Amino acid sequence: MIIQFSVENFMSIKEKVVFSMLASSDKEIPENLILGKKENYLKSAVIYGANASGKSNLIKAMNAVVIMMRNSNNMQPGLKLPIVPFKFDKEYVKKPSSFELIMIINNIKYVYGFVADENRIYEEYLYYYPNGKETELFERTQVNKYHYTSNENVLKDIVSKNMENKFLLATATTWNYEKTKPVYEFITNGIEILFDYNTIKPLSFSLYKNDNNGELKEFSLNILNEAEMNISGYNVTDVEITDEQLSAIPLELRGFFNKKTRSFHITTRHNITTEDGKEEDIDLDFEEESLGTQNMFILNPILLYVLKKGKVLIIDELDRSLHPFLVEYIVKIFNSEKYNKNGAQLIFNTHDTNLLNLSLFRRDQIWFTEKDYKKGATDLYPLDDFPVRKTENVEKGYLNGRYGAIPFIALGEQLWPEE
């Protein structure tokens, strides 16, 4: 699970910001917590802020870490890393960016971080706490200078295979160094980040198609029925891509497809009552459903997968075309002791202020981004920084600007100047 993520000098984030899933001492809503030996952690967190305030950039920073680690072993000399520095300060454009992730894996705390720009990795470090005491696994203090604990000389052979734009964490794991494997596996496989529901369509439909024991079908239909979408069943078939479908693919992408490529066809079943009082099943093509229904149907397999595996799910704009009550229902699933038994975590941003409710979220689960629009820099802070009463109407306070992180729009002279 994620305990903390920090980033500095990335896109609109200039100074270091720290996002934490470590629970405060607040005793409210204990079911929202993952209990630890000495500390407790949050099952979910939500991020609010005005448009262009940096909500998505925080998620993009997390995504950059995941993508860079997944691709590290395929890096060739001279290839660029996907790091974009803060560009509204001439000094920061020249500086590398910093990232750090603190996590719990198999009940052991790990701290991993690095400093890099698009060309090379300047610093990299990994510490862990097997007995509650910090132990260094490795430190990369300069581009090609490394330090290891005295009993880890095996890394000397591995670093000779590394490059200035490759992460030692990935290289060491590839060369079967067991102590780096948990962190590498967590970053590359334990964190799922979603920016657009359409991008996961093939994966989602494939999971539906291969749902041999019916577990996904039961899970998905339960959610769809809770949302009153009136879907009593569905059918998933896969077929070879047709010539017509192939011709519709842009020419530059057509090389990735061939006649053996499979595409999915989804129909949903609705049980309706006719005018004469009879019940009848009507099938609709998936594209005939509302966008909200489509998005929920696509998301369901990912939700079940993350909950079963105890992974971290991070979503940019969870509420995209989804009713506020449905978004609240998803949050409650993650906060639930019944459904979230494996320590899965949900992190998302939204504009849906209906969720700003202290009966749904604890104060340490609500975060805000605010941008200094004169300097272009993003700040990040939790509701816990404010003296908020347990009975306070947080939604009203937010909309009234008490916590910042909202746009201030002045209508008047700029749009309708006096003649």
Side-chain angles (χ1 to χ4, degrees):
M1 80 187 80
I2 289 178
I3 303 178
Q4 181 177 294
F5 175 75
S6 59
V7 56
E8 180 179 356
N9 192 28
F10 182 83
M11 302 189 76
S12 67
I13 299 170
K14 180 181 179 182
E15 305 292 342
K16 180 180 178 180
V17 299
V18 178
F19 175 80
S20 177
M21 296 292 282
L22 178 66
S24 69
S25 58
D26 192 339
K27 303 300 182 183
E28 296 297 308
I29 323 183
E31 60 267 27
N32 288 16
L33 301 178
I34 301 169
L35 302 181
K37 293 180 180 179
K38 295 183 179 180
E39 297 174 319
N40 299 325
Y41 312 100
L42 303 172
K43 292 179 180 176
S44 62
V46 58
I47 306 167
Y48 284 89
N51 288 327
S53 65
K55 300 187 305 297
S56 294
N57 287 343
L58 178 67
I59 295 178
K60 287 177 182 178
M62 297 178 182
N63 189 58
V65 174
V66 173
I67 295 301
M68 285 189 287
M69 199 58 60
R70 287 176 179 172
N71 294 336
S72 184
N73 289 319
N74 297 321
M75 292 294 286
Q76 298 298 319
L79 287 181
K80 304 290 187 182
L81 295 166
I83 294 178
V84 181
F86 181 77
K87 293 185 175 181
F88 296 135
D89 187 306
K90 293 180 180 179
E91 294 302 316
Y92 273 75
V93 172
K94 302 173 186 176
K95 292 173 59 176
S97 304
S98 302
F99 305 82
E100 184 180 83
L101 187 61
I102 303 177
M103 62 216 102
I104 297 284
I105 307 170
N106 298 325
N107 297 316
I108 298 176
K109 177 181 175 181
Y110 291 84
V111 178
Y112 174 72
F114 60 89
V115 178
D117 60 20
E118 66 175 2
N119 297 309
R120 60 186 59 85
I121 300 157
Y122 296 92
E123 299 175 23
E124 187 182 5
Y125 53 88
L126 177 61
Y127 310 101
Y128 76 139
Y129 298 74
N131 301 306
K133 183 179 180 181
E134 181 182 288
T135 301
E136 174 194 309
L137 285 174
F138 68 79
E139 280 189 355
R140 182 182 194 168
T141 54
Q142 295 181 33
V143 176
N144 291 310
K145 289 190 177 182
Y146 300 85
H147 179 264
Y148 337 96
T149 51
S150 58
N151 62 338
E152 304 300 336
N153 290 330
V154 64
L155 283 170
K156 288 184 178 180
D157 294 328
I158 295 175
V159 297
S160 64
K161 303 173 177 68
N162 207 34
M163 296 190 304
E164 62 179 12
N165 61 350
K166 294 181 68 171
F167 295 95
L168 180 58
L169 179 67
T171 303
T173 304
T174 300
W175 288 93
N176 300 316
Y177 184 60
E178 289 297 322
K179 290 190 176 181
T180 58
K181 185 177 180 180
V183 177
Y184 177 79
E185 289 291 331
F186 177 78
I187 294 175
T188 56
N189 295 316
I191 303 174
E192 303 293 338
I193 301 178
L194 175 59
F195 288 97
D196 184 346
Y197 293 143
N198 281 327
T199 61
I200 60 169
K201 254 187 180 181
L203 171 61
S204 179
F205 290 171
S206 177
L207 290 171
Y208 276 117
K209 184 69 174 69
N210 295 292
D211 178 33
N212 297 320
N213 62 7
E215 182 182 23
L216 174 56
K217 187 170 188 175
E218 180 181 1
F219 177 84
S220 185
L221 290 179
N222 282 341
I223 290 182
L224 295 172
N225 287 331
E226 286 284 344
E228 297 185 349
M229 292 179 177
N230 188 31
I231 295 178
S232 58
Y234 58 82
N235 187 50
V236 182
T237 56
D238 61 327
V239 296
E240 289 185 356
I241 192 169
T242 65
D243 290 333
E244 183 180 0
Q245 290 172 321
L246 190 63
S247 64
I249 297 171
L251 188 61
E252 64 271 18
L253 298 177
R254 209 169 294 172
F256 293 99
F257 300 86
N258 56 55
K259 282 293 291 182
K260 294 183 180 180
T261 301
R262 312 294 291 184
S263 65
F264 293 96
H265 181 249
I266 312 290
T267 56
T268 54
R269 181 165 296 118
H270 294 255
N271 184 262
I272 64 167
T273 302
T274 62
E275 291 293 332
D276 56 3
K278 295 181 179 179
E279 289 191 357
E280 185 176 352
D281 288 332
I282 302 295
D283 287 349
L284 297 179
D285 282 339
F286 185 72
E287 289 72 20
E288 294 180 272
E289 297 286 359
S290 70
L291 184 57
T293 301
Q294 290 183 35
N295 285 346
M296 195 65 246
F297 191 86
I298 293 168
L299 185 59
N300 283 338
I302 309 304
L303 294 179
L304 179 60
Y305 172 70
V306 167
L307 288 165
K308 286 185 64 178
K309 299 295 183 180
K311 291 177 179 282
V312 181
L313 178 60
I314 303 173
I315 303 180
D316 185 39
E317 297 186 23
L318 171 60
D319 57 325
R320 191 181 292 113
S321 299
L322 298 180
H323 191 278
F325 289 169
L326 187 52
V327 176
E328 181 178 340
Y329 181 68
I330 294 170
V331 172
K332 286 181 176 178
I333 289 175
F334 274 84
N335 287 341
S336 166
E337 294 177 340
K338 178 181 179 180
Y339 297 108
N340 188 359
K341 298 178 180 180
N342 299 310
Q345 292 176 303
L346 173 67
I347 300 168
F348 67 99
N349 64 34
T350 182
H351 291 293
D352 180 6
T353 60
N354 292 286
L355 302 176
L356 282 171
N357 186 329
L358 293 182
S359 65
L360 178 65
F361 285 115
R362 295 157 46 98
R363 287 167 291 186
D364 51 6
Q365 292 178 280
I366 300 172
W367 289 77
F368 302 106
T369 56
E370 186 168 51
K371 181 181 282 187
D372 181 334
Y373 285 97
K374 290 185 177 180
K375 297 181 179 179
T378 292
D379 190 18
L380 173 73
Y381 50 91
L383 178 63
D384 224 19
D385 283 355
F386 296 85
V388 179
R389 299 186 305 275
K390 296 177 182 179
T391 57
E392 186 166 322
N393 187 327
V394 178
E395 179 183 16
K396 183 178 179 181
Y398 172 66
L399 293 175
N400 287 337
R402 181 180 174 193
Y403 320 117
I406 63 171
F408 291 94
I409 303 172
L411 296 179
E413 293 182 0
Q414 290 182 339
L415 291 181
W416 295 282
E418 294 183 5
E419 297 182 359

